[in-house]
Amino acid sequence: MSRTVYVNGQYLPEEEARVSIFDRGFLMADGVYEVTSILNGKLIDFAGHAARLERSLKELEMAAPATTEELLEIHRELVKRNDIDEGMIYLQITRGNPGDRDFAFPDPETTPPTLVMFTQSKPGLAANPVAQKGLKIISIPDIRWGRRDIKTVQLLYPSMGKMMAKKAGKDDAWMVEDGTVTEGTSNNAYIVSGNAIITRALSNDILHGITRAAVLRFAREAQMEVIERDFTIAEAQAADEAFITSASAFVMPVVEIDGAPVGTGTPGRIALRLREIYLDESLKTAI
Ligand code: PDD
């Protein structure tokens, strides 16, 4: 059965969904996106994703094609029409189709933004067996642009990073700039030392993860210490535990960095506990 997707006000079978070749998302990577997870048919942290989307649009002076309430409605409708129990919803907004190629931004009055959304069904997302195994990662230089806080669709380097990891027989990569870890290719990065969770502070250097915000809040509520500061790969290799967070991976342990085992080389106790807390607590507020 074909998926029902959403394009500019219409629900269509995926085969019939079309975007222009002049769309600035296609020609210029002039677009922003969000990935929201679905558990038990409900949206996890929709408000957080909607707020970050609004911020991304504002930073790029891009018009919003719909209100948050309308976006929520479309999200819910797509979950319903595609009968999604566990998975993700992808949302992308671009600066639209000006009818030609030009570096200057088009006038939003005559060129409305493009909005597309689609679901990805991933049964078993919450019970992902990878969490019991952990991820093996490599480090790579962070050569991305300076506004990583904006969730743009410029994902070529993160894709190259994932391919570098794959070629090395590993699962993912952490990026390093000026000697310290910024973040993972599509996730935020953490280490654990004793009872303390250490992760880079928010700035333009990293994406302000919605899962990060929730996990740090839950960690503090569980009386764990949270320290927001830079850390090096050497420090991570010598840490008790390491893990990542994202809307699609939730909390996922990291067990090896550049060939060196982290802690016992098996998923850490705190990482697994945080995964459990995150899944329990975010389900309570899922909508
Ligand atoms: N990636 N850092 C980067 C570079 C990311 O691309 C992501 C998310 C995160 C985590 O953010 P959040 O917790 O809000 O998902 C951090 C999504 C999942 C993706 O590109 O598929």
Side-chain angles (χ1 to χ4, degrees), residues 3-23:
R3 241 185 312 200
T4 298
V5 303
Y6 179 92
V7 187
N8 293 329
Q10 285 187 295
Y11 293 94
L12 295 168
E14 62 183 69
E15 301 79 10
E16 289 171 29
R18 297 276 180 276
V19 173
S20 164
I21 62 159
F22 299 116
D23 194 279

Side-chain angles (χ1 to χ4, degrees), residues 2-264:
S2 127
R3 241 185 312 200
T4 298
V5 303
Y6 179 92
V7 187
N8 293 329
Q10 285 187 295
Y11 293 94
L12 295 168
E14 62 183 69
E15 301 79 10
E16 289 171 29
R18 297 276 180 276
V19 173
S20 164
I21 62 159
F22 299 116
D23 194 279
R24 286 183 62 92
F26 179 62
L27 293 182
M28 309 270 184
D30 188 359
V32 298
Y33 75 107
E34 282 296 330
V35 177
T36 304
S37 55
I38 305 157
L39 292 175
N40 295 351
K42 289 184 172 173
L43 302 164
I44 302 295
D45 223 333
F46 175 80
H49 290 282
R52 183 173 62 192
L53 177 68
E54 202 174 305
R55 180 178 180 276
S56 294
L57 291 170
K58 192 163 150 271
E59 292 297 315
L60 295 176
E61 296 169 32
M62 210 182 279
T67 64
T68 298
E69 292 69 34
E70 286 164 346
L71 290 178
L72 175 59
E73 183 59 37
I74 304 164
H75 275 77
R76 283 183 159 152
E77 189 62 27
L78 282 178
V79 170
K80 201 165 94 189
R81 290 192 189 213
N82 293 290
D83 196 19
I84 306 292
D85 182 45
E86 286 189 38
M88 282 98 75
I89 290 209
Y90 178 86
L91 171 157
Q92 177 168 325
I93 298 171
T94 73
R95 210 180 300 272
N97 161 27
D100 204 349
R101 181 176 181 268
D102 187 349
F103 281 82
F105 292 175
D107 180 351
E109 291 295 320
T110 46
T111 303
T114 299
L115 169 61
V116 307
M117 284 174 55
F118 57 83
T119 53
Q120 290 184 281
S121 179
K122 300 263 181 211
L125 192 63
N128 192 343
V130 176
Q132 302 309 320
K133 220 171 95 210
L135 302 174
K136 294 181 177 176
I137 62 158
I138 58 167
S139 64
I140 59 172
D142 196 339
I143 59 166
R144 296 173 300 161
W145 77 324
R147 290 304 306 273
R148 303 156 192 162
D149 56 310
I150 308 173
K151 199 163 171 61
T152 75
V153 296
Q154 304 177 78
L155 296 177
L156 182 54
Y157 189 64
S159 297
M160 289 167 72
K162 292 217 192 257
M163 290 313 294
M164 287 181 232
K166 198 171 168 185
K167 279 184 195 143
K170 308 298 175 188
D171 303 302
D172 207 342
W174 278 5
M175 294 179 280
V176 175
E177 186 172 55
D178 297 333
T180 59
V181 174
T182 51
E183 59 187 334
T185 54
S186 64
N187 43 67
N188 290 115
Y190 308 73
I191 57 173
V192 177
S193 176
N195 191 39
I197 292 152
I198 301 159
T199 193
R200 195 180 181 98
L202 296 181
S203 70
N204 291 354
D205 298 340
I206 61 168
L207 187 74
H208 301 188
I210 302 307
T211 321
R212 176 189 184 280
V215 165
L216 295 188
R217 190 174 70 244
F218 298 143
R220 288 187 176 108
E221 283 169 11
Q223 312 305 322
M224 296 174 191
E225 190 186 355
V226 173
I227 305 170
E228 293 181 73
R229 66 159 172 86
D230 294 1
F231 61 86
T232 63
I233 287 292
E235 193 185 356
Q237 288 171 322
D240 295 322
E241 299 183 24
F243 64 93
I244 58 155
T245 65
S246 79
S248 48
F250 309 123
V251 178
M252 197 56 87
V254 167
V255 295
E256 183 194 291
I257 303 174
D258 286 339
V262 179
T264 59

